[in-house]
Every structure is written in C-alpha cells, then in structure tokens.
Amino acid sequence: MGIFSWLLTPIIDRRIAQFQNGLMATHIAEVEHIYNQMRGWRHDYHNHMQKLKAHLHLKQYGDIDTYLTALADDLAQVDVIIKTGNVTVDAILNSKVSVARAKGINVNAKAIVPTKLNVAEIDLCVIIGNLLDNAVEACLRLTDPARRFIRVYIDILKGQLYISVSNARAGEVKRSGVSFLSTKEETGHGFGLMRIDRLADKYGGFVNRQAEEGVFATEVMLPL
C-alpha cells in the first residue's frame, strides 16, 4: 500500500496541477472580458458626449434623459462590483460575480481584505475561484431560477482571513465519511474541493463545510 500510494501521489498532483492551470486560464479570460468591456465603453465616451451635445444644442431634453438612462444601464454592466482594497481579490470576485449574475443568479457579496497578505495571489485565486465556481454550478442545477442565490462574505476575523460562501442547492449532497464529494459529472474527482483543502493546510488554515436543507456553505480560515 505504501508503494502504491507513493506511485499514485505524483499522478494526483499532476492532475491537480492541470486542473489548476485550466482554472487560472478561465479566471484570466473572465477578467479580460470585463476589462475589455470597460475599455470599449471608454472608447465610446467621445461619441456619447457628441451625441448628448447635439441633443442639447437642439434642446431635445427628453432625448437627453432617455440617452443618459441607457448609458447608466450600460455602465452598470461593466462597473466594478466589489472594491475590497486588494487587487487580486477584486479581480477574481468581480469576474466570478459578474458571471453568476449573467446566469441569473442572485448574488450578495461583501468583502474586506488587507492590501497585502501572506497568502500567495495564485493560491487565493484558486480558493475563491473554486468556491464560486462550485456555487454557480450548484445553483444552475435548480430548475427554479428564483431559488438561485450565492452569498459571499470575506473579512478579517480573529487574526485570520475569513472566507464564507453559501449557495442554494438541489438534491442530496454526496459524502464519503465526514467529507463532501464533488457532484461534477464531467470529472467526478473533486479536484476543486481537494485543492481548497490542500491550500488551507498549506497555510495552517481550516475548512468547514455544512449542508442544510436547500443550502450548502463553506468557510475557509487562513491565518494572517
């Protein structure tokens, strides 16, 4: 068994590394999508101003009001949703929250994070990204869109970075002993859950998962 475990561990580590690389590529694409939207809006800023000036010159005040309302709605779609003070956390949270809301999921997020942490940026992205990816997938399994929700809370608690993500869920949660199993049909290996646990261990942290009626919640504590 010892030899088998010794041979199997590098294989699992490689699979997790591949999973992490794919996850980071997805995160980067999501962030780039948001900032491309923002750059596009800024590029059109001059045209918007010219349009408004033309309406103003012709005293078409009703058209100005209509145009400003449309601009406000357009800007709301690309505006920064969460400002924690930490660039890395802002990027990952805003990208994931934007994706969730685009899928019709009700998201409530509050985050306060120090500018500098002893947690590597890539590790923090993997933890938060996995938590929110799992939450989105769980919500999308609900047939009633009105029941889909995600709650995110990040703050400093008792000298630790506290990360809490809860979401709506459908059906029973799979377990193996006291551990929860991934329900992703495409892999079934639960690399995301495993990666979160390993990173928490890496920093001497703690992971707590709870499943209640219609809700799944995960808490991660990382010492500062």
Side-chain angles (χ1 to χ4, degrees), residues 2 4 13 24 30 33 51 78 92 144 147 154 172 176:
F4 178 76
D13 286 341
M24 288 306 300
E30 290 168 353
H33 173 69
K51 177 72 171 177
V78 298
I92 193 67
D144 182 4
R147 294 176 54 199
I154 304 176
E172 296 296 323
S176 176

Side-chain angles (χ1 to χ4, degrees), residues 30-48:
E30 290 168 353
V31 173
E32 286 180 345
H33 173 69
I34 290 176
Y35 287 121
N36 283 336
Q37 283 184 309
M38 294 177 69
R39 284 195 295 267
W41 200 93
R42 289 171 180 168
H43 176 75
D44 293 335
Y45 176 81
H46 177 73
N47 293 333
H48 293 318

Side-chain angles (χ1 to χ4, degrees), residues 31 37 50 89 94 96-97 147:
V31 173
Q37 283 184 309
Q50 292 300 109
V89 176
N94 283 302
K96 293 301 180 182
V97 169
R147 294 176 54 199

Side-chain angles (χ1 to χ4, degrees), residues 135-147:
V136 168
E137 290 175 8
C139 284
L140 293 180
R141 293 190 188 99
L142 289 165
T143 56
D144 182 4
R147 294 176 54 199

Side-chain angles (χ1 to χ4, degrees), residues 64-100:
I64 291 176
D65 183 66
T66 300
Y67 197 79
L68 287 174
T69 300
L71 282 180
D73 292 340
D74 186 47
L75 182 59
Q77 298 177 14
V78 298
D79 193 18
V80 175
I81 302 167
I82 303 167
K83 298 178 181 178
T84 68
N86 183 289
V87 175
T88 300
V89 176
D90 286 352
I92 193 67
L93 276 179
N94 283 302
S95 67
K96 293 301 180 182
V97 169
S98 294
V99 169

Side-chain angles (χ1 to χ4, degrees), residues 1-218:
M1 286 298 294
I3 295 175
F4 178 76
S5 177
W6 178 75
L7 293 172
L8 185 61
T9 298
I11 297 175
I12 294 176
D13 286 341
R14 283 197 299 271
R15 293 291 299 276
I16 291 176
Q18 292 171 355
F19 172 82
Q20 177 178 321
N21 291 337
L23 190 66
M24 288 306 300
T26 300
H27 294 344
I28 292 171
E30 290 168 353
V31 173
E32 286 180 345
H33 173 69
I34 290 176
Y35 287 121
N36 283 336
Q37 283 184 309
M38 294 177 69
R39 284 195 295 267
W41 200 93
R42 289 171 180 168
H43 176 75
D44 293 335
Y45 176 81
H46 177 73
N47 293 333
H48 293 318
M49 292 301 101
Q50 292 300 109
K51 177 72 171 177
L52 288 170
K53 286 180 179 180
H55 284 312
L56 182 61
H57 179 73
L58 296 174
K59 297 183 180 180
Q60 297 171 333
Y61 303 120
D63 291 334
I64 291 176
D65 183 66
T66 300
Y67 197 79
L68 287 174
T69 300
L71 282 180
D73 292 340
D74 186 47
L75 182 59
Q77 298 177 14
V78 298
D79 193 18
V80 175
I81 302 167
I82 303 167
K83 298 178 181 178
T84 68
N86 183 289
V87 175
T88 300
V89 176
D90 286 352
I92 193 67
L93 276 179
N94 283 302
S95 67
K96 293 301 180 182
V97 169
S98 294
V99 169
R101 288 177 173 167
K103 295 179 182 294
I105 300 172
N106 179 23
V107 182
N108 184 289
K110 179 180 179 181
I112 301 174
V113 182
T115 303
K116 294 183 179 180
L117 296 168
N118 65 335
V119 180
E121 291 186 355
I122 189 171
D123 291 341
L124 196 56
C125 282
V126 169
I127 291 173
I128 295 175
N130 270 291
L131 289 173
L132 291 178
D133 282 345
N134 291 341
V136 168
E137 290 175 8
C139 284
L140 293 180
R141 293 190 188 99
L142 289 165
T143 56
D144 182 4
R147 294 176 54 199
R148 298 170 181 169
F149 74 84
I150 297 175
R151 302 288 180 265
V152 182
Y153 181 73
I154 304 176
D155 203 348
I156 304 303
L157 181 64
K158 296 181 179 180
Q160 300 187 77
L161 180 64
Y162 174 74
I163 304 171
S164 171
V165 176
S166 58
N167 57 270
R169 67 175 180 86
E172 296 296 323
V173 177
K174 296 181 181 180
R175 290 177 180 265
S176 176
V178 297
S179 300
F180 292 96
L181 299 176
S182 171
T183 56
K184 295 180 181 179
E185 296 179 359
E186 65 272 19
T187 62
H189 299 295
F191 285 146
L193 300 179
M194 187 186 302
R195 191 60 178 151
I196 292 172
D197 292 344
R198 285 195 174 189
L199 288 174
D201 288 340
K202 174 182 176 179
Y203 294 99
F206 172 76
V207 179
N208 177 43
R209 297 183 178 94
Q210 297 291 332
E212 299 179 2
E213 185 65 29
V215 179
F216 188 80
T218 304

